[in-house]
Each structure stands twice: as structure tokens, then as C-alpha cells.
Amino acid sequence: VQLQASGGGLVQAGGSLRLSCAASGRTFGSYTMGWFRQAPGKEREFVASIRWSGGSTYYTYYANSVKGRFTISMDNAKNTVYLQMNSLKPEDTAVYYCAADTSTWPRPTMSQHEYDYWGQGTQVTVSS
């Protein structure tokens, strides 16, 4: 599985960005997809994850720090997962990574140790 993240950039506080992550693989719909971030001098942390359960049912988890501001979604036809980020804050500044968990666990996970494929990261900078 190869993951290609894009959409990062520089934005003012209160602004919005949408990150995209395109994935290879013919079974994209069976993956749990996640977004993580790593700020300078800090450890990588969970942001959001999503798993398709069939039909129009998706399970999503969010870190408390982004809940209500960020929305994760996935388009199985395009093999792409998105992270819509609204009301951005300077503390959201980080390199954002997408990741894929190809296990059969039926719910999305927040543990980065469960993800076996990672994208290259995209920089998000929020100015005050």
C-alpha cells in the first residue's frame, strides 16, 4: 500500500484546510485510515481515524483536541481519505501523516502502532 498525502500549507488562525491522502491497493474500502500529526519537539499523536462498515456507515474517532473542528471522510471510489480542518489554531501546526491499518479489526483505532503503512507527511502551519 502506498499513501500520498497532500493539501498542507500556511493558513491564518481561524482558517481552513483540507488534506487528502490517496492510497494504492484494490481493497482500500477494507482499511482503517487515520491521520496523525507531529509538531516540532513533540511525539506523533493521533488526530482522527475512519473505517467503512458497508453501505453508508462509517465509524470515526477523533482526538479531543480536534473534535468539532476536524472531519475525516473517505471516498472508496477514489481510494482517498480526507481531513477537513476548520477553525485552525496555531497549536494545530504540525506535519500531518496519513496511515492505513490493513487488519480486519472492525473498528477504527487510535493507536499508531496498529497502522502498518504511512504516507510521507504534509506540513500544516497556522499563523496567529
Side-chain angles (χ1 to χ4, degrees):
V1 177
Q2 292 184 324
L3 304 174
Q4 182 69 42
S6 61
L10 173 64
V11 64
Q12 288 188 332
S16 299
L17 281 175
R18 188 176 81 156
L19 305 183
S20 300
C21 177
S24 65
R26 289 176 288 181
T27 57
F28 174 78
S30 69
Y31 304 159
T32 286
M33 299 299 297
W35 287 98
F36 294 79
R37 67 186 182 186
Q38 187 168 20
K42 295 187 177 180
E43 294 187 351
R44 188 164 58 189
E45 64 176 6
F46 170 77
V47 176
S49 60
I50 186 169
R51 186 174 185 91
W52 180 52
S53 184
S56 60
T57 302
Y58 295 84
Y59 293 101
T60 57
Y61 289 159
Y62 294 94
N64 287 336
S65 58
V66 307
K67 201 171 293 184
R69 300 188 297 122
F70 291 9
T71 302
I72 189 171
S73 61
M74 63 192 302
D75 185 333
N76 291 341
K78 296 182 178 179
N79 278 19
T80 301
V81 61
Y82 303 98
L83 185 68
Q84 177 67 44
M85 305 185 294
N86 298 328
S87 302
L88 283 161
K89 304 175 181 179
E91 51 263 44
D92 294 318
T93 295
V95 177
Y96 283 70
Y97 298 90
C98 62
D101 170 7
T102 61
S103 72
T104 58
W105 187 249
R107 294 292 183 270
T109 177
M110 296 179 283
S111 171
Q112 58 184 298
H113 302 294
E114 300 297 326
Y115 290 81
D116 38 7
Y117 295 95
W118 292 81
Q120 85 287 2
T122 185
Q123 176 71 47
V124 172
T125 303
V126 184
S127 62
S128 57

mmCIF file of all heavy atoms in Angstrom, residues 7-19 69-70 83-89 92 124-126:
data_model
loop_
_atom_site.group_PDB
_atom_site.id
_atom_site.type_symbol
_atom_site.label_atom_id
_atom_site.label_comp_id
_atom_site.label_asym_id
_atom_site.label_seq_id
_atom_site.Cartn_x
_atom_site.Cartn_y
_atom_site.Cartn_z
ATOM 1 N N GLY A 7 -2.124 18.722 0.392
ATOM 2 C CA GLY A 7 -3.086 19.704 0.846
ATOM 3 C C GLY A 7 -2.621 20.595 1.974
ATOM 4 O O GLY A 7 -3.341 21.504 2.387
ATOM 5 N N GLY A 8 -1.434 20.342 2.496
ATOM 6 C CA GLY A 8 -0.934 21.193 3.560
ATOM 7 C C GLY A 8 -0.584 22.582 3.057
ATOM 8 O O GLY A 8 -0.588 22.852 1.859
ATOM 9 N N GLY A 9 -0.290 23.460 3.999
ATOM 10 C CA GLY A 9 0.072 24.805 3.626
ATOM 11 C C GLY A 9 0.085 25.732 4.813
ATOM 12 O O GLY A 9 0.027 25.294 5.969
ATOM 13 N N LEU A 10 0.150 27.024 4.510
ATOM 14 C CA LEU A 10 0.167 28.067 5.521
ATOM 15 C C LEU A 10 -1.201 28.740 5.546
ATOM 16 O O LEU A 10 -1.720 29.153 4.505
ATOM 17 C CB LEU A 10 1.253 29.095 5.204
ATOM 18 C CG LEU A 10 1.299 30.345 6.081
ATOM 19 C CD1 LEU A 10 1.623 29.975 7.525
ATOM 20 C CD2 LEU A 10 2.325 31.322 5.523
ATOM 21 N N VAL A 11 -1.781 28.856 6.726
ATOM 22 C CA VAL A 11 -3.107 29.461 6.874
ATOM 23 C C VAL A 11 -3.143 30.264 8.158
ATOM 24 O O VAL A 11 -2.430 29.949 9.121
ATOM 25 C CB VAL A 11 -4.202 28.362 6.854
ATOM 26 C CG1 VAL A 11 -4.062 27.428 8.047
ATOM 27 C CG2 VAL A 11 -5.585 28.963 6.768
ATOM 28 N N GLN A 12 -3.959 31.284 8.181
ATOM 29 C CA GLN A 12 -4.120 32.073 9.393
ATOM 30 C C GLN A 12 -5.039 31.373 10.375
ATOM 31 O O GLN A 12 -5.896 30.569 9.981
ATOM 32 C CB GLN A 12 -4.685 33.451 9.052
ATOM 33 C CG GLN A 12 -3.702 34.369 8.349
ATOM 34 C CD GLN A 12 -4.236 35.779 8.205
ATOM 35 O OE1 GLN A 12 -5.444 35.987 8.145
ATOM 36 N NE2 GLN A 12 -3.332 36.743 8.139
ATOM 37 N N ALA A 13 -4.866 31.683 11.627
ATOM 38 C CA ALA A 13 -5.733 31.129 12.658
ATOM 39 C C ALA A 13 -7.192 31.421 12.321
ATOM 40 O O ALA A 13 -7.529 32.529 11.879
ATOM 41 C CB ALA A 13 -5.381 31.718 14.015
ATOM 42 N N GLY A 14 -8.026 30.424 12.510
ATOM 43 C CA GLY A 14 -9.437 30.538 12.159
ATOM 44 C C GLY A 14 -9.756 30.066 10.751
ATOM 45 O O GLY A 14 -10.932 29.911 10.400
ATOM 46 N N GLY A 15 -8.726 29.833 9.970
ATOM 47 C CA GLY A 15 -8.918 29.401 8.596
ATOM 48 C C GLY A 15 -9.130 27.905 8.471
ATOM 49 O O GLY A 15 -9.235 27.187 9.473
ATOM 50 N N SER A 16 -9.194 27.449 7.227
ATOM 51 C CA SER A 16 -9.480 26.049 6.937
ATOM 52 C C SER A 16 -8.495 25.494 5.919
ATOM 53 O O SER A 16 -7.955 26.225 5.088
ATOM 54 C CB SER A 16 -10.903 25.888 6.381
ATOM 55 O OG SER A 16 -11.877 26.324 7.299
ATOM 56 N N LEU A 17 -8.289 24.199 6.005
ATOM 57 C CA LEU A 17 -7.518 23.452 5.014
ATOM 58 C C LEU A 17 -8.160 22.083 4.873
ATOM 59 O O LEU A 17 -8.765 21.570 5.830
ATOM 60 C CB LEU A 17 -6.060 23.274 5.444
ATOM 61 C CG LEU A 17 -5.071 24.423 5.267
ATOM 62 C CD1 LEU A 17 -3.737 24.042 5.883
ATOM 63 C CD2 LEU A 17 -4.906 24.786 3.803
ATOM 64 N N ARG A 18 -7.996 21.487 3.701
ATOM 65 C CA ARG A 18 -8.418 20.101 3.518
ATOM 66 C C ARG A 18 -7.230 19.287 3.046
ATOM 67 O O ARG A 18 -6.646 19.563 1.994
ATOM 68 C CB ARG A 18 -9.559 19.974 2.514
ATOM 69 C CG ARG A 18 -10.123 18.557 2.479
ATOM 70 C CD ARG A 18 -11.318 18.398 1.565
ATOM 71 N NE ARG A 18 -10.927 18.238 0.162
ATOM 72 C CZ ARG A 18 -11.670 17.645 -0.749
ATOM 73 N NH1 ARG A 18 -12.859 17.147 -0.416
ATOM 74 N NH2 ARG A 18 -11.270 17.571 -2.001
ATOM 75 N N LEU A 19 -6.900 18.294 3.830
ATOM 76 C CA LEU A 19 -5.838 17.368 3.472
ATOM 77 C C LEU A 19 -6.441 16.176 2.730
ATOM 78 O O LEU A 19 -7.554 15.748 3.027
ATOM 79 C CB LEU A 19 -5.100 16.880 4.712
ATOM 80 C CG LEU A 19 -4.516 17.951 5.637
ATOM 81 C CD1 LEU A 19 -3.756 17.284 6.769
ATOM 82 C CD2 LEU A 19 -3.652 18.917 4.882
ATOM 83 N N ARG A 69 -13.988 20.407 15.152
ATOM 84 C CA ARG A 69 -13.311 21.298 14.191
ATOM 85 C C ARG A 69 -12.851 20.541 12.947
ATOM 86 O O ARG A 69 -12.845 21.102 11.853
ATOM 87 C CB ARG A 69 -12.097 21.969 14.846
ATOM 88 C CG ARG A 69 -12.433 22.813 16.060
ATOM 89 C CD ARG A 69 -11.217 23.594 16.541
ATOM 90 N NE ARG A 69 -10.131 22.724 16.983
ATOM 91 C CZ ARG A 69 -8.904 22.743 16.469
ATOM 92 N NH1 ARG A 69 -8.601 23.581 15.488
ATOM 93 N NH2 ARG A 69 -7.972 21.913 16.941
ATOM 94 N N PHE A 70 -12.435 19.306 13.122
ATOM 95 C CA PHE A 70 -11.923 18.489 12.016
ATOM 96 C C PHE A 70 -12.946 17.421 11.653
ATOM 97 O O PHE A 70 -13.656 16.902 12.529
ATOM 98 C CB PHE A 70 -10.625 17.805 12.402
ATOM 99 C CG PHE A 70 -9.433 18.716 12.586
ATOM 100 C CD1 PHE A 70 -9.562 20.093 12.601
ATOM 101 C CD2 PHE A 70 -8.167 18.169 12.737
ATOM 102 C CE1 PHE A 70 -8.459 20.915 12.770
ATOM 103 C CE2 PHE A 70 -7.053 18.969 12.906
ATOM 104 C CZ PHE A 70 -7.203 20.348 12.931
ATOM 105 N N LEU A 83 -9.147 14.980 5.317
ATOM 106 C CA LEU A 83 -9.248 15.584 6.640
ATOM 107 C C LEU A 83 -9.579 17.059 6.432
ATOM 108 O O LEU A 83 -8.725 17.841 6.021
ATOM 109 C CB LEU A 83 -7.952 15.436 7.433
ATOM 110 C CG LEU A 83 -8.036 15.938 8.876
ATOM 111 C CD1 LEU A 83 -8.973 15.031 9.698
ATOM 112 C CD2 LEU A 83 -6.651 15.992 9.523
ATOM 113 N N GLN A 84 -10.836 17.394 6.682
ATOM 114 C CA GLN A 84 -11.263 18.788 6.604
ATOM 115 C C GLN A 84 -10.971 19.446 7.948
ATOM 116 O O GLN A 84 -11.471 18.985 8.981
ATOM 117 C CB GLN A 84 -12.749 18.876 6.281
ATOM 118 C CG GLN A 84 -13.295 20.302 6.244
ATOM 119 C CD GLN A 84 -12.723 21.118 5.102
ATOM 120 O OE1 GLN A 84 -12.622 20.634 3.982
ATOM 121 N NE2 GLN A 84 -12.345 22.359 5.391
ATOM 122 N N MET A 85 -10.175 20.493 7.918
ATOM 123 C CA MET A 85 -9.754 21.154 9.149
ATOM 124 C C MET A 85 -10.281 22.584 9.146
ATOM 125 O O MET A 85 -9.893 23.389 8.288
ATOM 126 C CB MET A 85 -8.224 21.144 9.264
ATOM 127 C CG MET A 85 -7.621 19.760 9.154
ATOM 128 S SD MET A 85 -5.843 19.743 9.431
ATOM 129 C CE MET A 85 -5.278 20.684 8.017
ATOM 130 N N ASN A 86 -11.162 22.871 10.084
ATOM 131 C CA ASN A 86 -11.744 24.194 10.216
ATOM 132 C C ASN A 86 -11.320 24.820 11.545
ATOM 133 O O ASN A 86 -10.851 24.125 12.438
ATOM 134 C CB ASN A 86 -13.270 24.117 10.148
ATOM 135 C CG ASN A 86 -13.776 23.571 8.831
ATOM 136 O OD1 ASN A 86 -13.162 23.761 7.777
ATOM 137 N ND2 ASN A 86 -14.911 22.882 8.869
ATOM 138 N N SER A 87 -11.516 26.113 11.642
ATOM 139 C CA SER A 87 -11.191 26.843 12.879
ATOM 140 C C SER A 87 -9.785 26.490 13.366
ATOM 141 O O SER A 87 -9.575 26.180 14.546
ATOM 142 C CB SER A 87 -12.233 26.533 13.971
ATOM 143 O OG SER A 87 -13.526 26.871 13.543
ATOM 144 N N LEU A 88 -8.852 26.543 12.464
ATOM 145 C CA LEU A 88 -7.491 26.135 12.798
ATOM 146 C C LEU A 88 -6.861 27.060 13.824
ATOM 147 O O LEU A 88 -7.124 28.269 13.847
ATOM 148 C CB LEU A 88 -6.642 26.081 11.524
ATOM 149 C CG LEU A 88 -6.885 24.839 10.666
ATOM 150 C CD1 LEU A 88 -6.391 25.048 9.248
ATOM 151 C CD2 LEU A 88 -6.221 23.627 11.293
ATOM 152 N N LYS A 89 -6.030 26.462 14.658
ATOM 153 C CA LYS A 89 -5.341 27.183 15.727
ATOM 154 C C LYS A 89 -3.832 27.037 15.532
ATOM 155 O O LYS A 89 -3.378 26.060 14.920
ATOM 156 C CB LYS A 89 -5.729 26.597 17.081
ATOM 157 C CG LYS A 89 -7.220 26.574 17.363
ATOM 158 C CD LYS A 89 -7.501 25.860 18.673
ATOM 159 C CE LYS A 89 -8.996 25.809 18.962
ATOM 160 N NZ LYS A 89 -9.285 25.102 20.235
ATOM 161 N N ASP A 92 -2.314 23.702 16.036
ATOM 162 C CA ASP A 92 -2.522 22.648 15.038
ATOM 163 C C ASP A 92 -1.331 22.536 14.092
ATOM 164 O O ASP A 92 -1.280 21.622 13.254
ATOM 165 C CB ASP A 92 -3.788 22.924 14.217
ATOM 166 C CG ASP A 92 -5.053 22.846 15.051
ATOM 167 O OD1 ASP A 92 -5.167 21.925 15.881
ATOM 168 O OD2 ASP A 92 -5.936 23.714 14.854
ATOM 169 N N VAL A 124 1.463 21.503 7.833
ATOM 170 C CA VAL A 124 0.397 22.471 8.079
ATOM 171 C C VAL A 124 0.937 23.498 9.068
ATOM 172 O O VAL A 124 1.400 23.140 10.148
ATOM 173 C CB VAL A 124 -0.860 21.789 8.652
ATOM 174 C CG1 VAL A 124 -1.882 22.843 9.093
ATOM 175 C CG2 VAL A 124 -1.467 20.849 7.622
ATOM 176 N N THR A 125 0.885 24.759 8.674
ATOM 177 C CA THR A 125 1.356 25.834 9.524
ATOM 178 C C THR A 125 0.228 26.838 9.717
ATOM 179 O O THR A 125 -0.315 27.352 8.732
ATOM 180 C CB THR A 125 2.583 26.535 8.918
ATOM 181 O OG1 THR A 125 3.621 25.569 8.701
ATOM 182 C CG2 THR A 125 3.096 27.617 9.861
ATOM 183 N N VAL A 126 -0.108 27.093 10.963
ATOM 184 C CA VAL A 126 -1.184 28.028 11.287
ATOM 185 C C VAL A 126 -0.564 29.225 11.991
ATOM 186 O O VAL A 126 0.027 29.090 13.061
ATOM 187 C CB VAL A 126 -2.250 27.372 12.171
ATOM 188 C CG1 VAL A 126 -3.414 28.346 12.403
ATOM 189 C CG2 VAL A 126 -2.753 26.080 11.552
#
